[in-house]
Amino acid sequence: MLLELDNLVKRYENHLAVDHLSLNVREGEIMGLLGPNGAGKTTTLNIITGLTGMDHGTIRVFGIDIGSNGQEIKQDIGLVPQEIAIFDDLTAKENVTFFGKLYGLRGALLKERTREALDFVGLGSRAGQFPRNFSGGMKRRLNIACAISHKPRLIIMDEPTVGIDPQSRNHILESVRTLQREGSTILYTSHYMEEVDEICTRIAIMDQGRIIAQGTSEELKTMISSEEKIEMTLSEINYTLVDEIKKLEGVLECHGEERKLTVLARKDSGLIGQISLIIGHSGSEIYSLQVDKVTLESVFLTLTGKSLRDTG
Amino acid sequence: MRLGTMFYYTLIQNWRDRSTYLEMLFLPILLIFILGISLGNAFQSPFISDTEVAYFNEDKGPIGESFEMFMRHEESTDLLSLTPVISADEGIQLVEEGQVHAFIHVPADLLQGETVKLQLIGSHQHNFRFTIVESMLESFVSGVNMVLAMEEINPDSLLMVRENSIEARSLQASDVRPGAMDYYAVTMLVMFMMYGTTYAVFGMKHAYLNTTGHRIRTTPIRPIEHYLGLVLANMLTVLIQGIILVTFTRFVFGVNWGNNLPLLFLILLLTGIMAIGLGTAIVMVTGNETLSGNIVMVLVPVMTFLAGGFFRLGLPDSSFLYYLQYLSPNYLAQTALFNTIYAGDFQRTLSMMLIMMVIILISFTMALVSERRFQT
């Protein structure tokens, strides 16, 4: 295992941010960490990178206990923080060089790796420009370049695609795959289910400081394959209607947003007829109806009782 | 090595923050110019030339003769108004009655025994004038000592040396009387160096406490390297600004910065460290960049006012505000600088520097203790 988290506990006064969390990440995989706000994802990442202390538990990175060899381990970790953490008064090249030097690169190797990192994120032609003139997507890519110039074995990416244009997002996702192909192991958090589904080799779902499920995307979907998701567009939705549907036998979850009604129900429960009847009685009309196959979104909804988008 | 990286990249970022850098240079130059010109008259009044000094010269030998020559010299009479008296008691009485600011007693046979000493008696109410008389007397004594030393080595050269040394070492009137430009050059230099606290506030917040600082802490850099790299770079930035201001005002405005450049540099260095120490302490205690910036914006002018940076306060020695001045870093730096430039009391310069060092120690200790709050 490249990263082993065993029984981590972190408490802030009366709040248990990380609750006996255990997680193993294999060498060469992209591990996705999914969870709503306050689930403890960032606290867990901060503990791994040494920014936050832990109250209990052990962390082994590259087989070495982080408690006794923090500095040595840091040499081989690259962190891409959620917020853009670069210097506006240093050029793109200087930013990457600065972090490269902190990771111990020197001389010709530093120059070569800096150039490689900038080319990798598509900023090679803008090496001499200041990030204050960059778009959000370009800043995000520079944020990544600063974490990879030293070719770390473990790259931790905390929501690296938040708030950027689709072109930059695709570029970043492709970069993540390339980094994995080149041998890096990646711990990736995101609110975007589809991107986690698309790039992660394994996924851990986190809620209230604990890992509540983990496995490949397919394994997670199989866990709730006995369920189906019904999506309807109605002329109007009210709370009474949602409550009535929730009372039906076989309905696991129901929520409405604007004119869209989502029902998670046990598979083959034959509820569509009953739901249509309730809608009819409420005076609303059905404009469209769709029964979806299980997605990571529905897995998350089933396991946590929350929609990740709503909490994100 | 990583400390060097932190230091270098912080320094070039400070340098590239042109608007702040130019503001920190242009504003003081402009203020020195405006205040120096507009308040020039206030400083042209015979501020120290009417210092009343009584003296009783009992020595009929070469020392007494030299003393008379020194005190009657044009440069001395520009500053002092001399009144010879016929006894020591009369001189002391004049001081006690406040009719003179100081009394000098040159006893007979000064060179004959170690117990016979030149005496200077003054009043605490006129500290500044007393210091001037004291400085002049020290110059005279130094000159005499030099003549005596030369006499030991080569008695033939005595006459020539006596003439040269005593006259050459007489205190220049222009040196002890700072003009408005000289005065505000010092106070504005100190004020703007103290505004250097903002480098610490914004630098520490961005590169230590904020996300970028957190990111840096996930690299193999040790916390002390990270911290020191930032502090040293910010300190050097402030020091360079100070040196540029001194150089510019010296050559363009003709401001007198004295002859003791190493000591001047040392005081500027301490002022720079003190500014960064205070800024670091403020941002670490508040943890808030905006609040810290506001505190600095209020604190620096108040400290400058207390130090008489905008205009001389002329506070009585025993008043509360007089003692409060010692809490103003500006007052400490200004006093040390004035004493250095105008050859004042060296002991006082040292004590000011010592208090500055204590403030530096306290502020960095506060910063380090407060910083632990952010280590979750």
Side-chain angles (χ1 to χ4, degrees), chain A residues 39-73:
Chain A
K41 300 189 304 292
T42 301
T43 306
T44 306
L45 297 188
N46 285 344
I47 293 172
I48 298 168
T49 52
L51 281 175
T52 301
M54 56 186 164
D55 297 321
H56 183 264
T58 53
I59 300 176
R60 291 172 73 82
V61 186
F62 320 126
I64 305 165
D65 192 302
I66 205 165
S68 53
N69 297 287
Q71 294 300 109
E72 187 188 332
I73 290 166

Side-chain angles (χ1 to χ4, degrees), chain B residues 168-337:
Chain B
R169 289 185 64 83
S170 67
L171 205 55
Q172 294 295 310
S174 56
D175 281 353
V176 292
R177 189 163 52 196
M181 202 74 92
D182 300 312
Y183 184 80
Y184 287 112
V186 170
T187 62
M188 292 299 109
L189 166 78
V190 171
M191 181 170 89
F192 276 86
M193 284 188 80
M194 291 311 297
Y195 269 124
T197 46
T198 51
Y199 281 109
V201 165
F202 297 109
M204 295 305 277
K205 183 67 186 173
H206 185 50
Y208 198 86
L209 297 176
N210 270 2
T211 318
T212 312
H214 292 167
R215 181 178 200 166
I216 291 169
R217 271 150 60 186
T218 66
T219 70
I221 193 170
R222 285 182 296 169
I224 189 71
E225 292 175 311
H226 184 187
Y227 188 85
L228 269 184
L230 285 168
V231 166
L232 291 175
N234 289 329
M235 190 205 73
L236 186 62
T237 305
V238 176
L239 183 63
I240 289 171
Q241 285 176 351
I243 291 170
I244 292 174
L245 273 178
V246 168
T247 310
F248 184 89
T249 53
R250 166 75 184 83
F251 290 106
V252 178
F253 296 157
V255 168
N256 175 22
W257 289 103
N259 299 314
N260 197 343
L261 292 183
L263 188 58
L264 186 80
F265 178 81
L266 194 63
I267 296 167
L268 293 186
L269 181 68
L270 280 177
T271 309
I273 300 174
M274 189 165 62
I276 298 306
L278 286 171
T280 309
I282 290 169
V283 74
M284 290 295 182
V285 168
T286 64
N288 182 311
E289 186 179 349
T290 312
L291 176 63
S292 302
N294 291 340
I295 289 173
V296 167
M297 288 302 149
V298 173
L299 202 60
V300 173
V302 169
M303 292 189 309
T304 307
F305 169 77
L306 270 179
F310 300 116
F311 51 87
R312 289 200 200 93
L313 295 180
L315 298 169
D317 285 9
S318 54
S319 69
F320 172 71
L321 275 178
Y322 178 80
Y323 290 110
L324 200 63
Q325 285 185 314
Y326 284 88
L327 289 177
S328 162
N330 296 50
Y331 178 76
L332 303 171
Q334 278 175 207
T335 308
L337 284 169

Side-chain angles (χ1 to χ4, degrees), chain A residues 53 71 74 94 102 106 143, chain B residues 2 16 215 217 220 376:
Chain A
Q71 294 300 109
K74 281 178 175 181
E94 284 168 341
L102 292 186
R106 293 287 179 271
N143 209 27
Chain B
R2 290 183 173 99
R16 282 176 184 166
R215 181 178 200 166
R217 271 150 60 186
T376 50

Side-chain angles (χ1 to χ4, degrees), chain A residues 201-243:
Chain A
T201 49
R202 281 202 310 139
I203 298 159
I205 295 179
M206 206 175 163
D207 193 31
Q208 296 183 334
R210 284 173 295 172
I211 301 285
I212 53 175
Q214 60 178 305
T216 63
S217 176
E218 288 311 309
E219 283 168 351
L220 290 172
K221 287 170 191 170
T222 309
M223 283 170 67
I224 60 159
S225 62
S226 57
E227 293 153 15
E228 63 187 5
K229 186 176 166 189
I230 304 159
E231 285 187 334
M232 294 173 161
T233 307
L234 308 180
S235 58
E236 59 176 305
I237 292 176
N238 56 53
Y239 288 116
T240 316
L241 172 66
V242 173
D243 285 343

Side-chain angles (χ1 to χ4, degrees), chain B residues 128-146:
Chain B
F128 184 61
R129 291 172 193 278
F130 182 77
T131 305
I132 291 165
V133 181
E134 191 181 32
S135 299
M136 293 187 71
L137 210 53
E138 277 172 11
S139 297
F140 169 71
V141 171
S142 299
V144 170
N145 287 340
M146 190 174 165

Side-chain angles (χ1 to χ4, degrees), chain B residues 2-66:
Chain B
R2 290 183 173 99
L3 188 150
T5 302
M6 199 68 234
F7 172 80
Y8 173 72
Y9 284 94
T10 305
L11 198 64
I12 59 172
Q13 283 181 86
N14 286 347
W15 172 244
R16 282 176 184 166
D17 184 6
R18 294 287 161 81
S19 58
T20 306
Y21 210 90
L22 293 179
E23 195 178 297
M24 299 287 262
L25 288 175
F26 274 133
L27 269 179
I29 287 170
L30 197 67
L31 280 171
I32 291 165
F33 180 74
I34 292 170
L35 292 170
I37 296 292
S38 60
L39 297 176
N41 288 339
F43 284 77
Q44 280 168 4
S45 60
F47 172 56
I48 49 176
S49 64
D50 56 352
T51 300
E52 299 283 347
V53 178
Y55 73 97
F56 178 39
N57 185 2
E58 287 188 279
D59 193 297
K60 304 300 177 197
I63 299 293
E65 192 185 325
S66 300

